Amino acid sequence: MQAYYDTSINRANVVLFEVKKLLNLRLDPDVAPTSFIADFKECLLLLEKNKAKISEDTDTLRALLLVAIQDDQFETVRDSIVHEPTRNVEDILKDIRERDTSMQMKDGA
């Protein structure tokens, strides 16, 4: 049964769906950063599982993150994407997580 569903056309459909999902992801004031990170990582995992080269294209993924980050409270993360072009996606997602934690600690204080 696995072989029946594991066809190039089915993989292509999954890839298209996940690319559309990546293009529509937004980190804005109405979206929890943890949800954004989880959704972004899930898309990457499904793209990788379906042999999509975009999951390995750091420049494209960084551009998608740059467009997706709409919350001004994460401006430092956007700046790091632009000014540090060798940073990988995992480091950028870690920055988002750390910035979110920092803001939560300030709000709680």
Side-chain angles (χ1 to χ4, degrees), residues 9-109:
I9 192 74
N10 284 340
R11 283 192 304 274
N13 283 331
V14 171
V15 168
L16 286 172
F17 180 80
E18 294 305 320
V19 168
K20 285 181 186 178
K21 192 172 169 185
L22 276 175
L23 289 168
N24 288 316
L25 282 179
R26 293 290 177 262
L27 176 56
D28 60 31
D30 297 328
V31 175
T34 53
S35 294
F36 172 80
I37 292 168
D39 290 345
F40 196 89
K41 283 185 167 189
E42 179 183 2
C43 288
L44 291 184
L45 287 173
L46 288 169
L47 288 167
E48 188 176 303
K49 181 179 177 183
N50 286 280
K51 303 173 185 159
K53 297 293 183 193
I54 190 172
S55 65
E56 302 166 9
D57 185 348
T58 305
D59 290 336
T60 300
L61 295 175
R62 291 173 71 250
L64 287 168
L65 283 168
L66 190 59
V67 170
I69 300 171
Q70 300 292 315
D71 189 337
D72 288 339
Q73 297 209 37
F74 291 89
E75 185 174 348
T76 57
V77 177
R78 282 194 314 249
D79 289 346
S80 75
I81 294 170
V82 172
H83 297 296
E84 300 175 42
T86 59
R87 297 193 71 224
N88 65 40
V89 172
E90 279 301 318
D91 288 342
I92 296 167
L93 295 176
K94 182 180 174 188
D95 288 350
I96 293 170
R97 192 177 307 108
E98 288 174 354
R99 178 71 180 130
D100 178 46
T101 301
S102 172
M103 289 186 309
Q104 287 181 18
M105 290 175 69
K106 285 180 184 175
D107 288 346

